[in-house]
Amino acid sequence: MSSLDPPVLTPTRTRMALFALALGGFGIGTTEFVAMGLLPNIARDLLPHLWATNQADALAKAGIVISAYAAGVVVGAPTIAAMAARFPRKTLLAWLTVAFTVGTIASALAPTFATVVIFRFVAGLPHGAYFGVAALAAAKLMGSEKRGQAVAFVLSGLTIANVVGVPAITYLGQHTSWRVAYLAVAGIFALTTVAILAVVPHQDGDPHATVARELGAFKRPAVWFALLTGALGFGGFFAVYTYVSPMVTEITGSPERLVPAALITLGVGTTIGNVIGGKLADHGALRAVLWLFGALTVAFFAVIVLSPTLPGLLVALFLVGLAASAISPAIQTRLMDVAGDAQTMAAAVNHASLNVGNSLGAFLGGAVIAAGWGYLAPTWVGLALVVPGVIFALAGWFVTRGRAGIGQRDVSGTTPDDGDEAEILAAASAPLGS
């Protein structure tokens, strides 16, 4: 049996292992996105004087909490991936979820705005490495021909968090405290640790991995273009998502209690989009990215046109979630295609790039609000970021066009597991769908 084949497990054990990996994504999605719905609560509690004088400025400053987490992802993803690729995946995943648990508890108990920002940065450090290693573990379980769907399955926890976890924890935080909300999230991470230790099978790390080899992925122009594409695409998404709460209350004039409904609607869109993106990625990752940027553009225009009423805003947010979420597994698969043998790094830094977009979108969205341009202005930021995103996607195709077309895998890429090199290269160079 080739090392590319999934380990021999019963179907029940495989499903349980995939569920445990997705549960970690559920916790990450909750801890990352719950701040969007609780941003006014955080601002009122940690910035009371600014909130009393200028709520727009207070919301913009509170957005730093979101940017800090994203910055932690950016720093942690390549650092941990470079150092930890050799370690057994199950052990590494368990330690990463322990780190999430500790960092989230510290965030909840931090006494001041500055210390909350620091601990949100710390809590973000394991994010990219977890998704990267979990994606590789899931790909091993599902087999090399379902890489995109394996990535999407792990990300399904994150998208389901937007349907269930984020609205539920937002509701809890609105009726108790945002600190209680984060303690509840820490409980999810603790449960994930137990689940991983109980049901995820042992998988060796890459014994040949070195820091230099993993960092070698950054010598490939196509890797940089893919990362920039993801950062800009998700920058536009987060420019809108970060300020969903004031869009609901200020643009539509709806009460704050309806913010969870908006988050659920957006979350349903991301859940469906993630599944679509995984399937599209298995039939041509780069082609999927280009189509999905077009869909995201349409979704942003829908926000601009439909947002004056709550039903219209809900429809538009569903479309934004659908298009943006579908981009993520496509970008992840594209990176795995072009990263050569630095697969752990490729799988991890995708989330670093997406969180650069998170930080960029939150910052730019807050800046245009603070400038007095209104709560719809972040949507125009999202539209502006689509243009360079498409340009970088096309640039990535340009530098690899001699080896693969838009509908093919790049022959310099590998599948996400070690094994016979010739078999890996043959699998990676085959046209998708063959």
Side-chain angles (χ1 to χ4, degrees):
M1 181 179 68
S2 166
S3 63
L4 291 175
D5 294 328
V8 178
L9 298 173
T10 65
T12 299
R13 177 68 183 278
T14 299
R15 285 193 295 269
M16 292 174 65
L18 290 170
F19 174 80
L21 297 174
L23 182 61
F26 181 85
I28 293 173
T30 305
T31 197
E32 181 177 18
F33 299 140
V34 74
M36 282 68 165
L38 294 177
L39 204 60
N41 307 76
I42 294 171
R44 279 196 297 264
D45 182 39
L46 297 176
L47 303 166
H49 298 298
L50 184 57
W51 178 264
T53 57
N54 191 320
Q55 292 187 9
D57 284 351
L59 285 169
K61 186 172 181 179
I64 296 173
V65 171
I66 298 169
S67 298
Y69 180 91
V73 180
V74 173
V75 173
T79 304
I80 297 175
M83 296 188 299
R86 296 172 61 92
F87 293 104
R89 290 171 182 163
K90 176 177 180 175
T91 302
L92 179 55
L93 288 167
W95 277 111
L96 290 171
T97 54
V98 168
F100 271 123
T101 305
V102 174
T104 307
I105 292 173
S107 300
L109 301 180
T112 66
F113 179 74
T115 53
V116 169
V117 169
I118 291 170
F119 284 122
R120 291 314 292 156
F121 172 83
V122 172
L125 292 173
H127 177 124
Y130 178 87
F131 272 124
V133 176
L136 296 178
K140 179 89 175 202
L141 289 167
M142 295 184 70
S144 61
E145 293 306 310
K146 295 183 178 181
R147 294 180 309 154
Q149 293 176 64
V151 170
F153 196 97
V154 173
L155 290 174
S156 69
L158 187 151
T159 58
I160 292 171
N162 286 305
V163 181
V164 180
V166 174
I169 300 297
T170 298
Y171 181 85
L172 174 66
Q174 288 175 342
H175 289 78
T176 55
S177 162
W178 67 269
R179 297 179 186 276
V180 173
Y182 274 110
L183 289 174
V185 174
I188 298 172
F189 285 125
L191 179 62
T192 302
T193 304
V194 174
I196 288 172
L197 292 173
V199 300
V200 173
H202 174 82
Q203 291 184 13
D204 291 328
D206 186 346
H208 306 294
T210 64
V211 172
R213 194 193 76 175
E214 292 296 316
L215 293 176
F218 295 113
K219 296 179 181 179
R220 298 170 179 263
V223 169
W224 282 104
F225 288 132
L227 292 174
L228 289 167
T229 300
L232 292 166
F234 262 61
F237 171 61
F238 277 104
V240 174
Y241 191 9
T242 302
Y243 301 99
V244 164
S245 183
M247 287 176 70
V248 171
T249 58
E250 302 300 325
I251 294 180
T252 73
S254 301
E256 187 178 65
R257 60 184 171 80
L258 292 180
V259 171
L263 295 173
I264 290 172
T265 302
L266 191 147
V268 171
T270 61
T271 301
I272 297 172
N274 179 62
V275 175
I276 294 172
K279 291 184 178 295
L280 290 175
D282 281 334
H283 292 82
L286 185 54
R287 179 171 54 197
V289 169
L290 293 172
W291 277 106
L292 292 168
F293 264 110
L296 187 59
T297 300
V298 173
F300 285 145
F301 275 115
V303 173
I304 294 169
V305 174
L306 301 176
S307 62
T309 68
L310 182 62
L313 178 62
L314 294 179
V315 170
L317 290 176
F318 172 83
L319 295 175
V320 169
L322 184 79
S325 179
I327 292 174
S328 183
I331 291 288
Q332 179 94 67
T333 306
R334 172 64 177 169
L335 279 166
M336 293 162 74
D337 287 340
V338 300
D341 53 6
Q343 289 294 300
T344 302
M345 180 64 71
V349 295
N350 178 47
H351 296 278
S353 73
L354 299 184
N355 278 271
V356 167
N358 183 335
S359 182
L360 179 67
F363 171 77
L364 293 177
V368 294
I369 289 173
W373 294 355
Y375 291 107
L376 199 56
T379 307
W380 290 102
V381 171
L383 279 168
L385 292 176
V386 165
V387 176
V390 171
I391 291 173
F392 284 124
L394 291 172
W397 167 75
F398 181 81
V399 299
T400 58
R401 69 195 188 286
R403 291 169 290 175
I406 288 180
Q408 295 178 294
R409 296 179 185 171
D410 190 304
V411 297
S412 66
T414 67
T415 56
D417 280 291
D418 55 345
D420 181 74
E421 182 177 355
E423 184 175 0
I424 292 174
L425 290 175
S429 61
L432 286 164
S434 64

